[in-house]
Amino acid sequence: MSYEELALLIDGRWTQGTSGKTETVVNPSTNEALGELPLASIADLDEALEASQKGFDVWRKTPAIQRQTIMEKTARLLEERMDVIAANLTREMGKPLKEARMELGAAIDVLRWYGEEGKRVYGRVVPSRITGMRQTVKKEPIGPVIAFVAWNFPAINVMRKVAGAIGAGCSITIKASEETPGTCIAIGRAFMDAGLPAGVLNIVFGDPATISSHLCASDIPRKLSFTGSVPIGKHLQKLAADKMMRCTMELGGHAPVLVFSDADIDAAVRNCVAGKYRNAGQVCVSPTRFLVQEAVYDKFATAFRDQASKLVVGDGLAEKTDMGPLIAERRIEVMENFMADALSNGSSLLTGGERLSNSGSFFAPTVLGDVTDDALIMNEEPFGPIAPISRFSTLDEAIERANRLPFGLAAYAFTKNAKTAAALSSEIQSGMLAINSLMVASAETPFGGIKDSGYGSEGSIEGMETFLTTRFVTEIF
Ligand code: NAD
């Protein structure tokens, strides 16, 4: 099976661009080259900007039901092409094939949801204080959107932005990750084959800083949407400020998991191991700080270690693989740094702790015990397969430690006590909180953070709202 044909999408045309420059896309399981990605020149970016204005002018006037018809057709094409797209997603990103298929399925779900919701973008009529006056509140697509997304979910990160914009009647120019471009291109091909007008979706790649500064300096985009790290999010927000561009920021997290002594520990461990090593821990809402109440600490840590050490690590295309590689060699060095710091701080190594092979970026599923809050891994987002476990004694201590970081994306807890659950529900500082499960993402619920983890939801009516602007019209007859 061949890898996706790599290209830019500008004004409805698939092109190699005019820069003559390319970047090699690498399979992180094998370090083999998958293809050469063309990089956009400044002239290509200008063409994409013009096209996105033209596309917006057409798309905003297209009835929502016609927009939804094209989105539904795109969803069906993606379903037909699922086997090929999922295999290529695994090859470029590394995650196990079953996870790639699930991700693509979730992306198609998001696409359908935004397509349907676009038909329900209602305004309202406000009763007037003056006889004969009509007051109308209108919801309109905000304008051409620019978007930048991380590599860890090559389908869903892209689709949350593209389907939201297109469902709301906006055009969008997206720069997906240069490390995982094939999935974004495959999504673009499905949209074009379904009849999306030229310019409504543009896909570019290149030097990220050059692209964002050029696109942000233009008067055309009216909204910037970003999925990535906190520092880059803060940088992009500053660039967007000069043009008063609205932003959505989906940034990093460091999710606490509070395990109380009254919890079903078997269920907690099962959920936490599955959640922690999904996508090799490269998930923004990954459970990353396990705080366990004294009385159940030993039981939890032992069962966690036993299950983590049984996971099969390997090429995501192999049927038995539970966990694939990290995205690239650079992430192995980050894991080794976390390990050295934690071990020198008195943590105990329960399992794993080292890279597994030199032919790909594989790192063992790792569990650290008795990790203190001054360890680096308890403060910086791990974004890898290391699970630090720590003890706590009281509810107040657990809440205080859960809230101590600048992040506020996801948080989790396991307890059977309704009073504890109620206290967590009101006191935990996170955009999303799941109690007795790790489920925080679906097409119809708001996904997003608070504090340094960003703002502006994706999915749900709140996600749709971020692509709309409110206008007020009064008329006297
Ligand atoms: P990163 O911020 O370095 O890169 C993310 C993306 O931004 C990449 O595609 C990169 O090409 C692009 N980028 C980098 N510099 C840019 C610039 N100056 N202008 C425009 N684009 C630029 O992050 P990373 O470490 O590669 O990715 C992981 C991060 O993403 C983690 O912090 C993770 O939590 C976060 N993330 C958040 C969510 C969410 O929904 N909250 C989802 C997925 C990932």
Side-chain angles (χ1 to χ4, degrees), residues 119-131:
K119 295 190 287 190
R120 291 186 280 272
V121 174
Y122 305 132
R124 65 187 197 278
V125 175
V126 180
S128 158
R129 296 178 179 206
I130 299 167
T131 307

PDB file of all heavy atoms in Angstrom, residues 119-131:
ATOM      1  N   LYS A 119     -27.196  23.515  10.571  1.00  0.00           N
ATOM      2  CA  LYS A 119     -28.601  23.792  10.201  1.00  0.00           C
ATOM      3  C   LYS A 119     -29.374  24.403  11.362  1.00  0.00           C
ATOM      4  O   LYS A 119     -30.510  24.816  11.207  1.00  0.00           O
ATOM      5  CB  LYS A 119     -29.283  22.480   9.765  1.00  0.00           C
ATOM      6  CG  LYS A 119     -28.685  21.897   8.495  1.00  0.00           C
ATOM      7  CD  LYS A 119     -29.501  20.749   7.945  1.00  0.00           C
ATOM      8  CE  LYS A 119     -29.353  19.501   8.770  1.00  0.00           C
ATOM      9  NZ  LYS A 119     -29.943  18.313   8.113  1.00  0.00           N
ATOM     10  N   ARG A 120     -28.773  24.399  12.544  1.00  0.00           N
ATOM     11  CA  ARG A 120     -29.475  24.910  13.733  1.00  0.00           C
ATOM     12  C   ARG A 120     -28.816  26.164  14.302  1.00  0.00           C
ATOM     13  O   ARG A 120     -28.863  26.409  15.509  1.00  0.00           O
ATOM     14  CB  ARG A 120     -29.542  23.822  14.810  1.00  0.00           C
ATOM     15  CG  ARG A 120     -30.450  22.679  14.428  1.00  0.00           C
ATOM     16  CD  ARG A 120     -30.610  21.695  15.549  1.00  0.00           C
ATOM     17  NE  ARG A 120     -29.459  20.803  15.623  1.00  0.00           N
ATOM     18  CZ  ARG A 120     -29.355  19.660  14.940  1.00  0.00           C
ATOM     19  NH1 ARG A 120     -30.329  19.264  14.159  1.00  0.00           N
ATOM     20  NH2 ARG A 120     -28.292  18.906  15.069  1.00  0.00           N
ATOM     21  N   VAL A 121     -28.157  26.928  13.432  1.00  0.00           N
ATOM     22  CA  VAL A 121     -27.570  28.186  13.900  1.00  0.00           C
ATOM     23  C   VAL A 121     -28.669  29.242  13.835  1.00  0.00           C
ATOM     24  O   VAL A 121     -28.902  29.865  12.809  1.00  0.00           O
ATOM     25  CB  VAL A 121     -26.341  28.577  13.042  1.00  0.00           C
ATOM     26  CG1 VAL A 121     -25.826  29.952  13.429  1.00  0.00           C
ATOM     27  CG2 VAL A 121     -25.244  27.537  13.219  1.00  0.00           C
ATOM     28  N   TYR A 122     -29.380  29.395  14.923  1.00  0.00           N
ATOM     29  CA  TYR A 122     -30.539  30.291  14.950  1.00  0.00           C
ATOM     30  C   TYR A 122     -30.146  31.656  15.500  1.00  0.00           C
ATOM     31  O   TYR A 122     -29.333  31.766  16.407  1.00  0.00           O
ATOM     32  CB  TYR A 122     -31.630  29.741  15.876  1.00  0.00           C
ATOM     33  CG  TYR A 122     -32.078  28.330  15.573  1.00  0.00           C
ATOM     34  CD1 TYR A 122     -32.189  27.396  16.592  1.00  0.00           C
ATOM     35  CD2 TYR A 122     -32.391  27.937  14.272  1.00  0.00           C
ATOM     36  CE1 TYR A 122     -32.616  26.104  16.332  1.00  0.00           C
ATOM     37  CE2 TYR A 122     -32.806  26.645  14.004  1.00  0.00           C
ATOM     38  CZ  TYR A 122     -32.917  25.731  15.034  1.00  0.00           C
ATOM     39  OH  TYR A 122     -33.320  24.460  14.771  1.00  0.00           O
ATOM     40  N   GLY A 123     -30.794  32.689  15.008  1.00  0.00           N
ATOM     41  CA  GLY A 123     -30.727  34.001  15.646  1.00  0.00           C
ATOM     42  C   GLY A 123     -31.930  34.134  16.579  1.00  0.00           C
ATOM     43  O   GLY A 123     -32.530  33.140  16.990  1.00  0.00           O
ATOM     44  N   ARG A 124     -32.310  35.370  16.950  1.00  0.00           N
ATOM     45  CA  ARG A 124     -33.547  35.536  17.712  1.00  0.00           C
ATOM     46  C   ARG A 124     -34.120  36.931  17.495  1.00  0.00           C
ATOM     47  O   ARG A 124     -33.391  37.844  17.072  1.00  0.00           O
ATOM     48  CB  ARG A 124     -33.341  35.234  19.197  1.00  0.00           C
ATOM     49  CG  ARG A 124     -32.447  36.143  19.940  1.00  0.00           C
ATOM     50  CD  ARG A 124     -32.221  35.585  21.367  1.00  0.00           C
ATOM     51  NE  ARG A 124     -31.684  36.619  22.239  1.00  0.00           N
ATOM     52  CZ  ARG A 124     -30.400  36.954  22.299  1.00  0.00           C
ATOM     53  NH1 ARG A 124     -29.519  36.330  21.532  1.00  0.00           N
ATOM     54  NH2 ARG A 124     -29.993  37.913  23.092  1.00  0.00           N
ATOM     55  N   VAL A 125     -35.388  37.061  17.798  1.00  0.00           N
ATOM     56  CA  VAL A 125     -36.048  38.361  17.701  1.00  0.00           C
ATOM     57  C   VAL A 125     -36.324  38.830  19.124  1.00  0.00           C
ATOM     58  O   VAL A 125     -36.915  38.103  19.915  1.00  0.00           O
ATOM     59  CB  VAL A 125     -37.352  38.252  16.893  1.00  0.00           C
ATOM     60  CG1 VAL A 125     -38.102  39.587  16.896  1.00  0.00           C
ATOM     61  CG2 VAL A 125     -37.055  37.823  15.466  1.00  0.00           C
ATOM     62  N   VAL A 126     -35.844  40.048  19.453  1.00  0.00           N
ATOM     63  CA  VAL A 126     -36.009  40.577  20.810  1.00  0.00           C
ATOM     64  C   VAL A 126     -37.170  41.576  20.804  1.00  0.00           C
ATOM     65  O   VAL A 126     -37.164  42.514  19.985  1.00  0.00           O
ATOM     66  CB  VAL A 126     -34.715  41.294  21.266  1.00  0.00           C
ATOM     67  CG1 VAL A 126     -34.875  41.842  22.675  1.00  0.00           C
ATOM     68  CG2 VAL A 126     -33.527  40.341  21.183  1.00  0.00           C
ATOM     69  N   PRO A 127     -38.170  41.401  21.671  1.00  0.00           N
ATOM     70  CA  PRO A 127     -39.306  42.346  21.690  1.00  0.00           C
ATOM     71  C   PRO A 127     -38.796  43.782  21.874  1.00  0.00           C
ATOM     72  O   PRO A 127     -37.946  44.042  22.721  1.00  0.00           O
ATOM     73  CB  PRO A 127     -40.125  41.897  22.899  1.00  0.00           C
ATOM     74  CG  PRO A 127     -39.730  40.471  23.111  1.00  0.00           C
ATOM     75  CD  PRO A 127     -38.310  40.346  22.672  1.00  0.00           C
ATOM     76  N   SER A 128     -39.327  44.670  21.076  1.00  0.00           N
ATOM     77  CA  SER A 128     -38.839  46.048  21.088  1.00  0.00           C
ATOM     78  C   SER A 128     -39.589  46.916  22.106  1.00  0.00           C
ATOM     79  O   SER A 128     -40.721  46.613  22.476  1.00  0.00           O
ATOM     80  CB  SER A 128     -39.007  46.622  19.685  1.00  0.00           C
ATOM     81  OG  SER A 128     -39.039  48.007  19.743  1.00  0.00           O
ATOM     82  N   ARG A 129     -38.967  48.013  22.519  1.00  0.00           N
ATOM     83  CA  ARG A 129     -39.631  48.975  23.420  1.00  0.00           C
ATOM     84  C   ARG A 129     -40.484  49.965  22.640  1.00  0.00           C
ATOM     85  O   ARG A 129     -41.178  50.791  23.210  1.00  0.00           O
ATOM     86  CB  ARG A 129     -38.572  49.758  24.197  1.00  0.00           C
ATOM     87  CG  ARG A 129     -37.759  48.881  25.114  1.00  0.00           C
ATOM     88  CD  ARG A 129     -36.694  49.678  25.822  1.00  0.00           C
ATOM     89  NE  ARG A 129     -35.950  48.786  26.723  1.00  0.00           N
ATOM     90  CZ  ARG A 129     -35.327  49.202  27.805  1.00  0.00           C
ATOM     91  NH1 ARG A 129     -35.326  50.488  28.138  1.00  0.00           N
ATOM     92  NH2 ARG A 129     -34.682  48.358  28.558  1.00  0.00           N
ATOM     93  N   ILE A 130     -40.338  49.952  21.299  1.00  0.00           N
ATOM     94  CA  ILE A 130     -41.044  50.946  20.470  1.00  0.00           C
ATOM     95  C   ILE A 130     -41.965  50.223  19.493  1.00  0.00           C
ATOM     96  O   ILE A 130     -41.542  49.264  18.834  1.00  0.00           O
ATOM     97  CB  ILE A 130     -40.016  51.798  19.690  1.00  0.00           C
ATOM     98  CG1 ILE A 130     -39.114  52.548  20.682  1.00  0.00           C
ATOM     99  CG2 ILE A 130     -40.690  52.753  18.720  1.00  0.00           C
ATOM    100  CD1 ILE A 130     -37.894  53.162  20.047  1.00  0.00           C
ATOM    101  N   THR A 131     -43.187  50.689  19.368  1.00  0.00           N
ATOM    102  CA  THR A 131     -44.133  50.073  18.441  1.00  0.00           C
ATOM    103  C   THR A 131     -43.593  50.178  17.016  1.00  0.00           C
ATOM    104  O   THR A 131     -43.089  51.235  16.609  1.00  0.00           O
ATOM    105  CB  THR A 131     -45.496  50.801  18.527  1.00  0.00           C
ATOM    106  OG1 THR A 131     -45.894  50.823  19.881  1.00  0.00           O
ATOM    107  CG2 THR A 131     -46.563  50.115  17.673  1.00  0.00           C
TER     108      THR A 131
END
